[in-house]
Amino acid sequence: MSSRGLFITVEGGEGVGKSTNMAFLEDYLRAHGVDLVVTREPGGSCLGEDIREMLLQVRTELMSPMSELLLIFAARAQHINERIAPALAAGQWVLCDRFTDATYAYQSGGRGITIDTVQRLEELVQGNLRPDYTLLLDAPVSTGMARARGRGELDRFEQEALDFFERVRETYLQLARASTGRYRIIDANVPLEAVQRQLTAVCQEFLPGMGVGHTAS
Ligand code: Z5A
């Protein structure tokens, strides 16, 4: 029987380079022989991708923070059940673009929902499932916003004001400081090659035969 795979998440505010660096990490890990499932949140399943569209769509109607939170956890429940848990149980690694730390950062830090509410849903939906490693791409909000705005049309989250994203960034940094065993902070405010050198160094920690293996805090 295979042992449980490693669950790695990539987090950060908008425009910090998650998509770009997810592709880099995927190539790097596969090149080192990792049997990998690459996925994202919100999304990762048919139902989850439908919910993602609902969440990102710009609307005339105001979506309440609680509706947003419950939609995110509905998508997550399906994602875990359909993809994440089976892959980990089969010994595959899962590399996920955002997970529940994003909910703490955006719905709690950004929208003001209490941490306790997010924690209760986390326990209900995830049981004991938590990422083994979380790579936080960190850059000043102004840098991320400039990069994201360079891509064109803005989704519902991207239309938020500067102070929303400042709270998101601060919440991520607090989470990272509170879970140093799980988190690795990557300075994303440097040229891409320098970001990827940091990611390569972090990968040495958990690639088989290269480092410490499964860690969590
Ligand atoms: N959300 C939530 O509220 N609660 C939750 O629980 C979850 C999510 C799971 C969608 O996520 C939204 O869902 C998200 C939070 C919310 N909204 N926001 N904001 P998403 O991950 O799909 O959305 P995103 O943050 O907009 O990510 P993105 O579109 O994938 O952007 P990114 O990955 O951070 O950036 P990128 O596309 O890789 O890079 C942006 C540009 O910068 C691009 O042109 C790159 O070539 C360039 N770039 C990247 N790195 C560099 C460096 N180092 N130097 C120079 N230029 C760079």
Side-chain angles (χ1 to χ4, degrees):
M1 199 177 75
S2 57
S3 63
R4 177 188 176 280
L6 214 57
F7 184 22
I8 303 165
T9 57
V10 177
E11 298 279 1
E14 69 154 350
V16 291
K18 285 181 314 309
S19 303
T20 310
N21 290 300
M22 279 288 294
F24 172 80
L25 283 167
E26 176 176 4
D27 289 348
Y28 188 84
L29 292 173
R30 287 197 203 283
H32 285 79
V34 175
D35 182 4
L36 192 66
V37 169
V38 179
T39 186
R40 69 172 179 181
E41 291 215 344
S45 68
C46 287
L47 177 65
E49 291 294 329
D50 286 350
I51 294 175
R52 179 187 178 90
E53 260 181 52
M54 293 167 69
L55 286 164
L56 298 192
Q57 207 175 75
V58 179
R59 319 170 152 264
T60 46
E61 167 196 47
L62 189 69
M63 185 183 291
S64 82
M66 185 55 76
S67 309
E68 183 179 277
L69 177 73
L70 293 173
L71 283 170
I72 285 167
F73 269 107
R76 186 162 295 142
Q78 185 71 19
H79 191 200
I80 291 170
N81 189 50
E82 200 176 304
R83 292 198 70 195
I84 299 176
L88 294 174
Q92 291 181 292
W93 289 22
V94 174
L95 176 65
C96 190
D97 186 343
R98 296 193 185 280
F99 196 61
T100 307
D101 293 291
T103 316
Y104 283 103
Y106 283 81
Q107 280 61 54
S108 186
R111 303 259 190 249
I113 287 190
T114 66
I115 289 178
D116 179 60
T117 303
V118 178
Q119 268 169 349
R120 280 157 59 194
L121 285 166
E122 181 179 38
E123 277 157 28
L124 182 70
V125 168
Q126 295 171 220
N128 292 327
L129 179 70
R130 300 290 182 277
D132 298 298
Y133 285 97
T134 297
L135 314 183
L136 174 63
L137 294 168
D138 179 62
V141 170
S142 53
T143 303
M145 284 180 110
R147 288 181 191 162
R149 273 146 185 67
R151 287 183 313 204
E153 238 171 75
L154 302 180
D155 67 34
R156 199 173 59 82
F157 286 97
E158 289 167 346
Q159 293 190 350
E160 288 294 335
L162 190 72
D163 63 330
F164 175 89
F165 291 108
E166 293 288 1
R167 292 196 300 278
V168 167
R169 183 185 185 204
E170 188 45 42
T171 308
Y172 269 131
L173 289 170
Q174 281 170 11
L175 289 167
R177 287 193 283 266
S179 295
T180 51
R182 170 165 72 91
Y183 260 93
R184 299 293 179 274
I185 301 178
I186 308 293
D187 179 6
N189 193 29
V190 292
L192 195 52
E193 306 72 56
V195 174
Q196 295 179 344
R197 273 198 298 276
Q198 297 171 69
L199 291 172
T200 305
V202 167
C203 285
Q204 309 313 308
E205 288 187 46
F206 47 71
L207 276 167
M210 293 180 109
V212 295
H214 294 36
T215 304
S217 79

